[in-house]
Amino acid sequence: MRTLIMIIAFVCILVTEPAAQQYYPQQDTTTEKPVQYRRGIELQEGYQSYDEKYSGKNLSLWEKRSLFPLESTEIWTELNPKVPRVDYIGIHFFNPDTGWAVGASGSIIVSTNSGISWKVAESSTTNNLYNVHSFDGMVVIAVGSNGIILRSADAGNTWQQIPGGVFGDLRRVQMLNDTLGWICGLGPTLLKTTNSGLTWIPVNTGFPSFDYWSLDFYNENIGYIAGSGLNIQKTTNKGLLWKGCIINDDFNDVFL
């Protein structure tokens, strides 16, 4: 009887082992990168771990997992949100469909369907980004902390850093046409481009004691800068000369 029981148990093992292998396949150790499985189901093509996805970014493991989630992990697939969980500080829509938002830790997201959904663009920086702008929808400029200037020539899908020669935070960028654009920031900093943001040259307004927080050009000739200390500046000749505005308590502004 004991011998018969042992034979039956051995036969059961032989019968059930192929079924187990069918539902829980073994990893292929002959390939350069082992295939990863989740409950016996292969993960989607292009799976990356957090370390692989954010290699080179100076981020802690917590930041990688909480601020920059992947679409898939070993166990779960995240449905929403699929964008970095950070503060978004600047946003600009070129037309009703296409727009960009930028924020903390170099985050850039792009929408092409009126903001219904967004995809992540790699910015190659962990600097905070404060503002983004585009004139034609193809060349996009983003600016941020420590003098960072990013330029995209393909509607925000890929980005490259552009040297600006400054190190203060850059707060506002505006492209007036295909070639002409302005950037302002702390320091104070005022930069101008005439070649679609490929290079930027400093502009001296004659007011060195104010930080520049924002700017707005009505056209190529007329523009304004808003800064610290109740400071507003105006140009009427393409930024060649600037006049300061004193804001009085009775709101009677006087340009010097």
Side-chain angles (χ1 to χ4, degrees):
M1 179 61 71
R2 179 178 300 176
T3 303
L4 179 59
I5 294 175
M6 293 179 62
I7 293 174
I8 294 174
F10 180 71
V11 171
C12 290
I13 292 174
L14 292 178
V15 171
T16 58
E17 184 176 3
Q21 291 179 350
Q22 177 180 356
Y23 291 102
Y24 298 95
Q26 298 295 316
Q27 293 186 7
D28 183 5
T29 58
T30 62
T31 59
E32 181 178 353
K33 180 180 177 180
V35 178
Q36 303 191 42
Y37 291 92
R38 176 182 62 185
R39 297 180 182 271
I41 303 174
E42 185 176 351
L43 287 179
Q44 63 192 42
E45 184 179 356
Y47 171 84
Q48 289 179 299
S49 68
Y50 284 94
D51 290 336
E52 291 170 329
K53 177 68 174 178
Y54 301 109
S55 175
K57 288 183 177 288
N58 185 24
L59 299 171
S60 66
L61 180 61
W62 179 87
E63 289 174 311
K64 293 174 185 176
R65 290 184 180 274
S66 63
L67 301 182
F68 294 85
L70 295 179
E71 294 187 3
S72 295
T73 65
E74 289 91 346
I75 304 299
W76 297 93
T77 296
E78 185 172 62
L79 298 180
N80 185 63
K82 292 184 179 180
V83 298
R85 301 183 185 97
V86 300
D87 291 337
Y88 288 96
I89 306 169
I91 189 170
H92 171 69
F93 267 76
F94 159 71
N95 59 30
D97 298 317
T98 304
W100 309 266
V102 298
S105 301
S107 301
I108 300 178
I109 53 178
V110 185
S111 177
T112 57
N113 57 2
S114 301
I116 296 174
S117 62
W118 298 80
K119 66 178 181 179
V120 178
E122 295 292 339
S123 68
S124 71
T125 182
T126 57
N127 289 17
N128 294 333
L129 299 175
Y130 299 132
N131 197 231
V132 61
H133 195 263
S134 176
F135 174 78
D136 58 8
M138 291 301 297
V139 175
V140 191
I141 308 295
V143 297
S145 61
N146 302 317
I148 189 72
I149 302 175
L150 299 179
R151 181 182 188 271
S152 173
D154 57 5
N157 291 301
T158 60
W159 297 79
Q160 67 176 129
Q161 293 191 26
I162 302 296
V166 296
F167 303 98
D169 291 355
L170 302 178
R171 292 289 181 169
R172 176 83 164 96
V173 56
Q174 183 182 6
M175 297 299 298
L176 299 178
N177 53 43
D178 291 336
T179 58
L180 178 62
W182 293 86
I183 292 174
C184 74
L186 310 189
T189 296
L190 183 62
L191 302 175
K192 178 181 180 180
T193 183
T194 57
N195 58 4
S196 299
L198 292 171
T199 58
W200 296 84
I201 57 175
V203 175
N204 184 7
T205 66
F207 298 87
S209 59
F210 301 101
D211 289 327
Y212 301 153
W213 294 103
S214 188
L215 62 78
D216 187 42
F217 272 78
Y218 173 72
N219 54 35
E220 294 186 17
N221 293 304
I222 301 174
Y224 297 85
I225 299 175
S228 59
L230 301 178
N231 175 53
I232 295 178
Q233 298 170 31
K234 177 182 180 180
T235 183
T236 57
N237 57 3
K238 302 180 179 181
L240 295 176
L241 295 175
W242 294 82
K243 294 182 178 181
C245 174
I246 300 175
I247 303 177
N248 298 323
D249 292 339
D250 58 0
F251 299 104
N252 293 318
D253 303 345
V254 178
F255 279 96
L256 302 176

